[in-house]
Amino acid sequence: MSEPVLRTERLGRTYRMGRIEVPVLKGIDLSIGKGTFTLIVGHSGCGKSTLLHVMSLLDAPTEGRVLYDGQDAFAESSAWRQRVRNRRIGFVFQFYHLLPELTVLGNVMLPELIGHGPLAWLGVRRDARERAARMLDTVGLNDRMDFKPSRLSGGERQRAAIARALVHDPEIVFADEPTGNLDTRAGWQVFEMLRSLAIDRGKTVVMVTHDNRFIPEAQQVLYLEDGRIVDAEAAARLALKHERKGLL
Ligand SMILES: Nc1ncnc2c1ncn2[C@@H]1O[C@H](COP(=O)(O)OP(=O)(O)O)[C@@H](O)[C@H]1O
Ligand SMILES: [Mg+2]
């Protein structure tokens, strides 16, 4: 594998609800190579979103470490983590999280404008607009820029969300079930778009899915089951068990 940009060591995340402890991640060791496309696969509730949120520094682990270029992210200040999040990371959500009252272009520009005071806005606005328009062009939405998200199809909304995640040119893109709400064709389009970010543009992409069809196309597949990484054979056995349970 190429040099790892991100690693986790014995990563754990336990939720506390009153006096009850719910361990969700149970000692995860993984390594993400620079410029690679990784899939994280597992059944609903096995901890995929929790893992992605901790890896992308949106949430803190309760045990273990997250290392960016060997640096322990949670030993650093929250300002350091914020900087990594803002500059190096892009995040794509299953439900797009586009703001309904803004146009597609406005949604994609927004991350560029946040962090600047109202006066600075005037200065950075044109730049941000140009970058956002270019990015929307790349994802094939150049004729949808002035639409509100409600007028777009699911696939178009997700492409707009990808444009928003990429507009600040992050090195690492995390996507949490980005095809979960899309039909087969739009799902493949979004998948291909994310995969090509790694293969053709050298970005590091980590995508979560419960859709097995994408597995043969990934450079690395991590199977998550009940908060642990398991090997492919164990994952296949478990998938069979889940399927049988669904049929009975
Ligand atoms: N904030 C939370 N508080 C308590 N339990 C949670 C919280 N978030 C997730 N969980 C639980 O953690 C488990 C894993 O959730 P999640 O990471 O969302 O799984 P997945 O994305 O694989 O479906 C689930 O059992 C879920 O109910
Ligand atoms: Mg999830």
Side-chain angles (χ1 to χ4, degrees), residues 10 18 24 37 45 82 90 95 121 135 140 159 161 174 182 184 189-190 209-210 227:
R10 298 181 307 283
V24 173
F37 182 83
Q82 182 97 40
F95 298 104
W121 270 44
M135 201 44 77
R159 272 145 59 199
F174 295 96
L182 305 180
T184 309
Q189 251 177 12
V190 161
T209 187
H210 63 254

Side-chain angles (χ1 to χ4, degrees), residues 50-135:
T50 304
L51 176 59
L52 214 61
H53 292 163
V54 176
M55 284 166 77
S56 60
L57 313 180
L58 292 168
D59 185 22
T62 45
E63 292 116 53
R65 307 199 297 168
V66 178
L67 302 146
Y68 273 79
D69 297 323
Q71 220 167 335
D72 181 354
F74 289 91
E76 300 292 334
S77 66
S78 62
W80 186 92
R81 287 190 294 279
Q82 182 97 40
R83 249 190 333 270
V84 172
R85 270 203 308 267
N86 292 345
R87 295 190 188 156
R88 300 184 63 185
I89 292 176
F91 205 103
V92 179
F93 299 91
Q94 178 175 354
F95 298 104
Y96 330 122
H97 292 309
L98 298 168
L99 295 176
E101 56 281 0
L102 295 182
T103 62
V104 167
L105 183 67
N107 267 283
V108 176
M109 281 171 69
L110 195 63
E112 296 280 274
L113 298 178
I114 287 173
H116 296 281
L119 276 177
W121 270 44
L122 298 172
V124 295
R125 203 159 188 275
R126 180 188 293 177
D127 226 34
R129 174 183 283 273
E130 271 172 22
R131 258 202 307 278
R134 254 202 316 276
M135 201 44 77

Side-chain angles (χ1 to χ4, degrees), residues 222-241:
L222 300 171
Y223 297 93
L224 195 63
E225 181 64 37
D226 191 22
R228 290 191 178 87
I229 304 263
V230 298
D231 63 28
E233 281 96 80
R237 273 199 305 277
L238 284 159
L240 215 65
K241 215 165 82 183

